[in-house]
């Protein structure tokens, strides 16, 4: 997960576009010819898109953009420490 990528996706795409992209990537992963390397790349893309959606949600609930991004990354880091 990369915070600059998440911020870019969140700022430049609406929720519907991000959700549609997730659906396409998930469908692509279901195909039997997808390699492990491709799955790793797609997994990174999916995690960044999900992060962008989460940040958008926090902003929609009234949190400042910077605070939403920082809060999201703190959640990620705390889940890794566990």
């Amino acid at each position: 997960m990369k915070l600059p990528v998440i911020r870019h996706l969140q700022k430049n795409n609406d929720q519907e576009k991000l959700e549609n992209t997730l659906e396409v990537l998930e469908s692509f992963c279901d195909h039997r010819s997808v390699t492990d390397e491709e799955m790793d790349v797609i997994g990174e893309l999916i995690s960044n898109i999900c992060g962008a959606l989460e940040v958008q949600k926090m902003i929609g609930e009234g949190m400042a953009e910077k605070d939403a991004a920082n809060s999201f990354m703190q959640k990620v880091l705390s889940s890794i420490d566990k």
Side-chain angles (χ1 to χ4, degrees):
M1 246 181 241
K2 297 180 181 176
L3 187 55
V5 173
I6 291 170
R7 284 183 176 163
H8 177 80
L9 291 171
Q10 170 264 314
K11 287 180 181 180
N12 296 297
N13 298 282
D14 62 23
Q15 180 179 353
E16 183 179 1
K17 189 183 292 186
L18 292 171
E19 289 173 349
N20 289 338
T21 303
L22 277 176
E23 289 177 26
V24 170
L25 291 172
E26 290 169 349
S27 176
F28 180 83
C29 289
D30 290 339
H31 196 273
R32 59 185 154 83
S33 70
V34 176
T35 66
D36 288 340
E37 291 93 16
E38 291 169 331
M39 288 292 268
D40 289 342
V41 171
I42 293 167
E44 182 70 18
L45 293 170
I46 288 173
S47 67
N48 285 319
I49 293 169
C50 288
L53 286 167
E54 183 69 24
V55 170
Q56 279 184 344
K57 179 182 174 193
M58 287 187 260
I59 292 169
E61 293 171 348
M63 191 177 284
E65 184 178 322
K66 182 178 179 180
D67 294 337
N70 289 334
S71 175
F72 173 74
M73 288 311 291
Q74 281 190 324
K75 286 182 191 178
V76 170
L77 293 175
S78 68
S79 70
I80 292 172
D81 290 339
K82 292 181 180 179

